Amino acid sequence: MNYEILPMRESDIHGIVSLENECFSSPWTYEGIEEELHNPDSHFLCAKGEKIMGYIGIQEICGEAYITNIAVSGEFRRNGIARKLLAEACIGAGERKCEFITLEVRESNLPAISLYESEGFEKVGIRKNFYSRPTENGIIYTKFLTR
């Protein structure tokens, strides 16, 4: 499978919105993603082949990196795309001197939890009823980059 991990561009927004709608019960809007493109604290990466196959969004504040979303289209899952996006996000955050990178994941999302744990993320907490549609706890996973 041929694809590249590249920074998000204006022309990628429609593909990311499609992924949001495919993958999430509360998707980001076009305007919300466009705003992140122009936010100097945000770093969005896309897995791009013939189209947007996946993406990851990271916001960095005071040396801390927060993964806002990571998504891969159903037709491209199980090909290592999420792992590559996650690895590139961690490398970028480390290069920008972030101390850690963190995210929340639905407690029922066992494939994602397995990925995060295999990439060195540690469970550090729970956010009660963090998700809606359906209501579910979010597990906080963090990878410390300065250890």
Side-chain angles (χ1 to χ4, degrees):
M1 177 168 304
N2 292 329
Y3 67 91
E4 294 180 273
I5 305 295
L6 299 168
M8 176 177 67
R9 297 186 323 209
E10 189 89 29
S11 59
D12 300 325
I13 296 173
H14 283 292
I16 291 172
V17 170
S18 289
L19 277 174
E20 281 284 312
N21 288 318
E22 175 187 344
C23 298
F24 301 111
S25 61
S26 298
W28 283 33
T29 63
Y30 183 96
E31 294 78 18
I33 294 168
E34 182 179 42
E35 187 176 311
E36 293 306 307
L37 179 65
H38 303 292
N39 179 348
D41 296 323
S42 291
H43 306 278
F44 278 52
L45 302 173
C46 299
K48 295 172 66 170
E50 293 179 18
K51 63 181 184 175
I52 302 293
M53 304 159 84
Y55 89 98
I56 189 168
I58 305 97
Q59 293 177 334
E60 296 175 3
I61 302 161
C62 299
E64 302 171 357
Y66 297 88
I67 296 174
T68 59
N69 270 345
I70 180 169
V72 175
S73 177
E75 67 182 293
F76 299 113
R77 290 185 187 149
R78 299 297 214 208
N79 287 296
I81 294 171
R83 185 176 304 279
K84 183 69 172 163
L85 285 164
L86 192 61
E88 291 294 323
C90 290
I91 289 167
E95 288 173 348
R96 290 184 293 273
K97 307 295 186 229
C98 289
E99 293 181 33
F100 63 82
I101 188 165
T102 192
L103 57 87
E104 293 91 3
V105 60
R106 284 182 179 272
E107 63 187 352
S108 65
N109 192 343
L110 300 181
I113 289 169
S114 177
L115 170 66
Y116 304 141
E117 289 178 350
S118 74
E119 290 297 313
F121 283 73
E122 303 170 29
K123 180 180 175 181
V124 296
I126 295 177
R127 295 193 196 281
K128 295 286 184 187
N129 302 317
F130 183 74
Y131 292 100
S132 59
R133 289 184 263 165
T135 301
E136 189 172 356
N137 294 338
I139 301 175
I140 305 166
Y141 274 90
T142 300
K143 182 173 184 175
F144 296 92
L145 303 173
T146 57
R147 285 188 182 165

